[in-house]
Amino acid sequence: MIVNLAIGFVTPLIGNNLYVASTLTKLPVAAIAKKTMPFMAAFFIALMIITFVPQVSLLLVP
């Protein structure tokens, strides 16, 4: 669920973090969105691993 929220916060159109970063840096949202694409790919890969390989998310370390 946390990974889903992270993806949602940096996805354009609804990405609150994009608008905050745009306001703080005075850069357009599109420019910031382009720079976040490698991170979005990593988030998506992590989400797929967590979703479809349950041993990863259910691992209990003593």
Side-chain angles (χ1 to χ4, degrees), residues 4-59:
N4 285 331
L5 284 172
I7 291 171
F9 280 137
V10 295
T11 303
L13 294 183
I14 302 176
N16 295 335
N17 289 352
L18 287 177
Y19 297 115
V20 171
S22 175
T23 302
L24 292 174
T25 61
K26 307 290 190 264
L27 292 172
V29 174
I32 296 172
K34 277 185 191 178
K35 293 179 181 181
T36 63
M37 287 304 151
F39 298 104
M40 292 295 297
F43 274 141
F44 187 73
I45 291 169
L47 178 64
M48 290 298 108
I49 292 171
I50 291 168
T51 302
F52 294 113
V53 182
Q55 293 84 2
V56 172
S57 60
L58 297 176
L59 177 68

